[in-house]
Amino acid sequence: MAAPVEPVGTGRLPAPRPGPVPWVAMYHSVGDCSDDPYRITVTPERLGRQLAWLRRRGLRGVSVAELLAARARGEGRGLVGLTFDDGYTDFLTGALPVLRRFGCGATLFVLPGRLGGDNAWDPLGPRKPLLTAEGIRRAAAEGVEIGSHGLTHVDLTRADDATLTAEVAESRARLAELTGVPADGFCYPYGTVDARAVEAVRKAGYGYACAIDPGPLTGPHALPRAHVGQNDTAWRLHLKLRLHRLRRRPVEGV
């Protein structure tokens, strides 16, 4: 029997010790990828093969909160972060059973301003339903870390001050009310980030934040991630992990 997903703690994250920037995988939807112009979907079968590849290499996927806490204790070797953006309903049906089979944890970044809605921000491709409040609570009850992806999925680098505050601070308040647990993690919509957005996230009380390739802003509130898609076979994953280890130098606070 696969090991259960460990519950996420409710305390603030301890300060990470210096070391290489952690490898964090970025997923979105897990289901039918026959119509997928943005390459945001993997099938459950492909996800299973990817997690099996990690385990064969002695690695285990965990939530970002668990990863950073382990690294702060000097125990993060062998752990990688698994993140799922947008909060699609297929996380419960497509991703969660596979995660449990391989004894992995994950962080799910959701949009509390679009509960039960869909991915209206994507002009192309099929409409994908988003989790309701009950669906998010169900994921949290299964031990999945719930983080904020903003309220409504807007580019924070183009937002005015009022929108930026709502997307960052109000989304955290709504998630705390919804789950009963303060959200430690934030994820920048579209992966776009600048110093102003980083400061807003830090000021709102998040312990960490995920981007995609934040460049010189890389740090606890702008963690880089590697996109993982349907075409990522074992060989491609090997190259992505190797490239990460070559490119990502130690950064203070990570």
Side-chain angles (χ1 to χ4, degrees), residues 148-173 186-189 192-206 209 221:
S148 171
H149 201 26
L151 271 182
T152 59
H153 204 287
V154 302
D155 184 344
L156 299 184
T157 65
R158 299 182 179 183
D160 59 32
D161 290 345
T163 300
L164 180 61
T165 297
E167 291 289 329
V168 174
E170 186 178 337
S171 67
R172 187 168 192 252
F186 186 85
C187 175
Y188 300 98
T192 55
V193 59
D194 58 15
R196 176 170 164 264
V198 169
E199 180 57 28
V201 168
R202 184 185 295 113
K203 183 178 179 181
Y206 294 96
H221 290 88

Side-chain angles (χ1 to χ4, degrees), residues 39-103:
R39 298 185 298 113
I40 63 168
T41 310
V42 299
T43 63
E45 294 74 22
R46 175 64 75 188
L47 175 62
R49 289 194 288 272
Q50 291 165 345
L51 297 185
W53 176 83
L54 287 177
R55 298 312 293 260
R56 288 196 302 272
R57 293 183 62 87
L59 302 172
R60 182 170 69 91
V62 297
S63 70
V64 180
E66 183 176 345
L67 173 63
L68 296 181
R71 285 168 60 87
R73 300 191 302 269
E75 301 171 358
R77 188 176 182 85
L79 300 180
V80 300
L82 298 180
T83 62
F84 293 79
D85 291 8
D86 302 333
Y88 295 108
T89 58
D90 60 25
F91 177 83
L92 294 178
T93 56
L96 190 56
V98 182
L99 292 168
R100 294 193 66 82
R101 189 190 331 149
F102 287 92

